[in-house]
Amino acid sequence: MSDKNKRENVLPSKMTLMQMKQRLVGAKKGHSLLEQKAKALNNRFRQILGEIREAKLTLPDLFNETQFSLAAAHFYGEDISLTVSDRQKSDPVKVKLAFNNIAGVTLPEWSESDEFSEKSKLPLLSKGSEEVQTCVDKHLETLQKLIKIASLQTSFLTLDEEIKVTNRRVNALERVVIPRIENTIAYIKSELEEQEREDFFRLKKVRDMKDREADEKKQALIAKVGAEKAKEIENEILRQKMETEAGRVSSNQDEDEDPDADLF
């Protein structure tokens, strides 16, 4: 996989860098929360697994006791199956549904309803012999155990599926999303640093060009001032020569005007 596929296709800028940093903070926070959720779900999952194992281990013995009590009721009494079917007009046991929230996951829980009428307790059998009443109690106990196992099994399957989904999300954040954002941030930083180096180099070149132009102007000014100064000196020398020549000419004229000056 190329480096381009390991990062987001974004325009490198300071605003994008800020957005990527915010996304990274959110991704890490989400990863931490999902890890805590997965930990809580796994703890509840192991607890339910232990309860299911314990309930299923006791279920065979309970089934045997129930069948034995039914056989004892038939042995000591008459066949009560038809009588119970005819007289029982409603369900002897009612189940109520409740919900339990574990780390944001709703788990259904079934339990035996507390609302039992006298008809729900098999009135014909309750007046029978001790063996018949024992058979009723054993069947009710077995039914309660089955309801508990059904509730635990449903919660077990729900948690199992939710743990798989949560683990996939955690792995996606840890191995795909967060590294991708970090690679994008590294790419943006490298591009911004490269742009800063280019800007610095460009500014340095412009400054060097300006310094060079200033030096050239300075040298030209110095040369111009030097030429003007030399011309002034040359004019001064020429003026002094002209004054000297003028003085000599004036002196010669005075000698020519006074010829008797040598006699004295």
Side-chain angles (χ1 to χ4, degrees):
M1 186 180 291
S2 61
D3 293 338
K4 187 175 181 180
N5 295 329
K6 293 181 180 179
R7 60 174 176 80
E8 299 287 342
N9 188 13
V10 296
L11 181 66
S13 63
K14 292 184 178 180
M15 181 61 69
T16 307
L17 179 61
M18 185 181 301
Q19 293 175 354
M20 287 293 116
K21 287 183 177 180
Q22 292 176 353
R23 286 184 58 184
L24 181 61
V25 172
K28 289 184 177 181
K29 185 176 181 180
H31 179 265
S32 177
L33 292 176
L34 286 176
E35 280 189 336
Q36 295 177 7
K37 178 181 178 180
K39 185 177 180 180
L41 293 179
N42 282 318
N43 291 336
R44 179 57 179 165
F45 182 81
R46 287 191 292 268
Q47 182 180 356
I48 291 177
L49 183 61
E51 292 178 1
I52 292 175
R53 181 176 179 275
E54 182 179 356
K56 287 187 176 181
L57 287 176
T58 59
L59 197 59
D61 294 336
L62 188 59
F63 275 151
N64 293 332
E65 293 176 1
T66 303
Q67 293 296 327
F68 181 78
S69 65
L70 180 60
H74 283 297
F75 180 77
Y76 290 106
E78 60 182 1
D79 188 5
I80 58 175
S81 301
L82 296 177
T83 306
V84 171
S85 300
D86 292 338
R87 297 296 183 89
Q88 191 66 43
K89 303 299 182 181
S90 62
D91 295 332
V93 177
K94 294 182 179 180
V95 178
K96 62 180 181 180
L97 176 63
F99 296 96
N100 187 14
N101 193 337
I102 303 296
V105 181
T106 303
L107 301 179
E109 292 184 355
W110 288 283
S111 60
E112 183 183 356
S113 176
D114 297 331
E115 299 177 357
F116 287 102
S117 63
E118 291 297 327
K119 294 182 180 180
S120 301
K121 295 186 178 181
L122 301 177
L124 292 178
L125 298 183
S126 61
K127 297 179 181 180
S129 62
E130 182 180 356
E131 289 79 9
V132 174
Q133 187 60 48
T134 303
C135 178
V136 173
D137 295 339
K138 286 296 181 181
H139 277 81
L140 289 176
E141 183 181 356
T142 304
L143 186 58
Q144 291 174 357
K145 183 68 71 173
L146 291 175
I147 292 172
K148 181 179 178 181
I149 292 176
S151 177
L152 292 174
Q153 195 73 33
T154 304
S155 300
F156 178 84
L157 296 176
T158 304
L159 281 178
D160 183 54
E161 187 64 27
E162 189 64 29
I163 288 172
K164 290 179 182 178
V165 174
T166 304
N167 288 335
R168 283 196 295 267
R169 291 176 180 174
V170 171
N171 292 333
L173 285 173
E174 183 178 354
R175 301 181 182 181
V176 178
V177 177
I178 293 178
R180 190 180 182 89
I181 296 176
E182 290 177 345
N183 292 336
T184 304
I185 292 175
Y187 162 73
I188 294 175
K189 285 183 178 180
S190 63
E191 290 295 323
L192 291 178
E193 290 175 357
E194 184 66 25
Q195 291 178 4
E196 290 178 359
R197 285 193 293 268
E198 291 178 356
D199 294 339
F200 177 78
F201 180 75
R202 189 182 301 108
L203 292 174
K204 185 177 180 181
K205 293 292 291 185
V206 171
R207 186 174 61 187
D208 292 342
M209 291 176 63
K210 289 183 178 181
D211 292 341
R212 193 181 303 112
E213 290 178 357
D215 291 339
E216 290 177 355
K217 289 181 180 180
K218 183 177 180 181
Q219 293 295 331
L221 181 62
I222 292 173
K224 183 178 180 180
V225 172
E228 291 178 355
K229 190 69 177 177
K231 188 174 182 181
E232 290 178 1
I233 294 173
E234 185 179 355
N235 291 335
E236 182 68 22
I237 293 173
L238 182 60
R239 186 178 61 79
Q240 290 177 1
K241 286 182 179 182
M242 291 177 66
E243 289 178 355
T244 303
E245 291 294 332
R248 290 178 181 177
V249 171
S250 177
S251 178
N252 291 332
Q253 288 179 356
D254 292 340
E255 290 178 357
D256 291 339
E257 292 178 355
D258 192 9
D260 296 332
D262 295 336
L263 296 178
F264 293 102

